[in-house]
Amino acid sequence: MEKTKVYFKNFIGTSYEVGTEVGQWVLSTPSLLKQVLLPPNAYPHDKFTKITDLLDRYCQGINEEIKGFADTIGVSSEQALFYAMTYLERGCSLMAVLPSKSKSGHTLMARNYDFNNEMEEMCFAFTNIKGKYRYIGSTLNLFGRCDGTNEHGLAVCKASNGVPVGNFEGGQKAGATGFSFWVVVRSILENCKTVQEAIEWTMSAPIGYNMNLMLADSSNKIALLQCMDGHKSYKLLDEYSEEAFLSVTNHALLEDIKPYQKMIIENSVVRNNKIVEVFTGKKQLSKKDIKTLLSTSYPDGLCCHYYKEFFGTLRSMIFDVNDKTIEMTFGSPQVNEWQTFSVGALEMQEVEVLLPQEKAKPDFYKIS
């Protein structure tokens, strides 16, 4: 059993002011400082100009935020690792149900986020930037977001579609030039009120990451959007749809995207089949049913403790878009408590969470 820290933060003010708050946090956490910076003059200036121009168009304010961060810690904005990781030349399980399938009569979305804790800043934050929608969600590379829900009841989370794309060792080279997922998720939370608006934004934006995006809103719409090598497609359900839930793990499910898939890891198929089995086996689902699925060890459920192998459950989350809340555990849901968060300021603190350590069986990574 190992332990790690989770940070709860509030980022409130103008874009520049929020950047200074991020900078102050990083200065007080030396181990984090080493993770988020490049050496001076390491990032080509022409690429820096391209990504800042794109961000000004699709995620306004973030360049000013990074400027506040850079000024606070005394570096050039070009040294922010976020830029190098975001402009592209990680396993998770996602699900959403409509009110007709939910015992509470609410639209629900849920996810397990599986990765390696040493490559995450493990921060959950309330963000309130002037001129943007307020939201809560998990940060990634300081300035990106991995999941969340905003003040209008729009919730979003993602999973990698196939082998993760990125500028890192072992990452797949992007099949299209564009953003990584953490810009997509953040932009949706800050600028969109509904699933339809989120779909329109994502379908128009340049995206280099191969991702599965799950969306849900308080007008009782849910959607799955898949992106592979720049090709995009989506499936939208509402109260008039014959189907009442959506699920996805780390492979393509939509017919328009399947032709571009290069490989499927078997555990992704097993996990998605388990979600479908549980969801079809019950006329209506409770939050307790979903928690059990998220907390049960693979292959009977979705929980994994393979942290050293970059496949350990770091967050389990249930989004209630009608209540605008996220009920979640940090670390393994088997040994950590569930907490509920609303869209508002958090109690700023650091909390230790438990990470049981296990090793996956060889067939877990079998490719089909």
Side-chain angles (χ1 to χ4, degrees):
M1 183 78 71
E2 293 188 6
K3 296 180 179 179
T4 193
K5 283 185 177 179
V6 169
Y7 301 92
F8 294 87
K9 296 291 179 182
N10 297 313
F11 300 127
I12 300 171
T14 64
S15 295
Y16 187 88
E17 289 167 346
V18 165
T20 66
E21 293 166 7
V22 174
Q24 291 163 2
W25 168 39
V26 170
L27 283 175
S28 69
T29 314
S31 60
L32 190 55
L33 183 61
K34 296 177 183 178
Q35 297 177 20
V36 299
L37 292 179
L38 293 171
N41 303 313
Y43 192 56
H45 186 72
D46 60 335
K47 285 192 175 183
F48 175 75
T49 300
K50 288 180 180 179
I51 183 59
T52 52
D53 288 348
L54 270 176
L55 287 168
D56 277 338
R57 180 178 175 186
Y58 289 98
C59 193
Q60 292 180 5
I62 197 169
N63 290 321
E64 187 69 9
E65 184 177 325
I66 296 174
K67 180 68 165 59
F69 162 78
D71 288 349
T72 300
I73 65 174
V75 300
S76 164
S77 293
E78 294 181 40
Q79 289 180 246
L81 182 63
F82 176 85
Y83 285 125
M85 293 291 286
T86 291
Y87 190 55
L88 297 172
E89 295 178 333
R90 292 161 160 89
C92 308
S93 304
L94 316 178
M95 61 214 79
V97 298
L98 290 169
S100 61
K101 189 72 176 175
S102 163
K103 283 188 177 179
S104 65
H106 288 191
T107 297
L108 303 176
M109 186 173 77
R111 65 97 52 95
N112 264 8
Y113 179 68
D114 306 298
F115 198 48
N116 171 273
N117 55 293
E118 294 179 2
M119 291 186 68
E120 291 272 332
E121 61 252 40
M122 299 291 286
C123 177
F124 186 77
F126 167 63
T127 304
N128 182 6
I129 296 175
K130 186 177 181 180
K132 303 293 183 181
Y133 299 143
R134 300 176 300 126
Y135 60 94
I136 50 174
S138 309
T139 73
L140 196 58
N141 293 322
L142 293 182
F143 307 103
R145 298 295 184 269
C146 190
D147 48 55
T149 190
N150 69 17
E151 62 182 287
H152 297 289
L154 174 64
V156 56
C157 55
K158 57 66 61 177
S160 296
N161 191 349
V163 177
V165 171
N167 302 323
F168 51 84
E169 185 177 353
Q172 179 180 313
K173 184 176 176 58
T177 298
F179 297 129
S180 189
F181 69 85
W182 47 78
V183 169
V184 176
V185 173
R186 175 172 178 158
S187 296
I188 287 171
L189 290 169
E190 290 188 341
N191 301 297
C192 300
K193 293 182 180 180
T194 66
V195 164
Q196 190 62 51
E197 288 182 7
I199 289 172
E200 290 172 3
W201 187 95
T202 308
M203 294 298 286
S204 68
I207 298 172
Y209 197 89
N210 294 342
M211 67 175 185
N212 296 326
L213 206 64
M214 192 70 76
L215 299 157
D217 67 23
S218 54
S219 64
N220 300 324
K221 289 183 174 64
I222 59 176
L224 166 63
L225 191 150
Q226 297 196 291
C227 181
M228 178 77 74
D229 294 342
H231 304 278
K232 304 171 190 172
S233 185
Y234 66 90
K235 182 176 184 178
L236 175 66
L237 301 183
D238 59 22
E239 59 184 314
Y240 303 107
S241 303
E242 291 185 10
E243 299 173 76
F245 74 89
L246 294 168
S247 68
V248 73
T249 46
N250 301 114
H251 61 281
L253 296 176
L254 302 181
E255 294 301 321
D256 290 346
I257 302 300
K258 284 182 179 180
Y260 305 103
Q261 185 153 255
K262 301 170 183 66
M263 66 175 69
I264 300 176
I265 299 177
E266 189 169 300
N267 73 66
S268 180
V269 177
V270 172
R271 285 181 286 121
N272 192 61
N273 287 346
K274 177 56 65 173
I275 299 171
V276 173
E277 175 189 322
V278 171
F279 279 36
T280 55
K282 291 181 176 288
K283 185 175 181 179
Q284 290 186 312
L285 289 151
S286 67
K287 289 184 180 180
K288 183 179 179 181
D289 295 328
I290 297 174
K291 285 181 182 179
T292 298
L293 176 62
L294 296 173
S295 304
T296 302
S297 293
Y298 177 91
D300 298 317
L302 305 176
C303 185
C304 298
H305 296 149
Y306 318 134
Y307 297 97
K308 301 298 185 185
E309 302 169 56
F310 296 83
F311 216 110
T313 300
L314 296 177
R315 291 185 296 279
S316 300
M317 313 173 79
I318 299 176
F319 303 76
D320 187 320
V321 295
N322 300 95
D323 287 345
K324 302 181 182 67
T325 60
I326 301 176
E327 191 170 357
M328 61 188 294
T329 62
F330 300 92
S332 169
Q334 295 183 11
V335 292
N336 296 284
E337 293 186 1
W338 289 83
Q339 304 172 69
T340 302
F341 301 91
S342 301
V343 181
L346 307 174
E347 180 184 353
M348 302 259 280
Q349 57 181 316
E350 298 177 14
V351 176
E352 275 194 340
V353 298
L354 301 175
L355 306 176
Q357 300 296 316
E358 298 176 0
K359 186 172 179 60
K361 295 179 180 179
D363 62 357
F364 183 79
Y365 302 104
K366 182 180 177 181
I367 295 173
S368 58

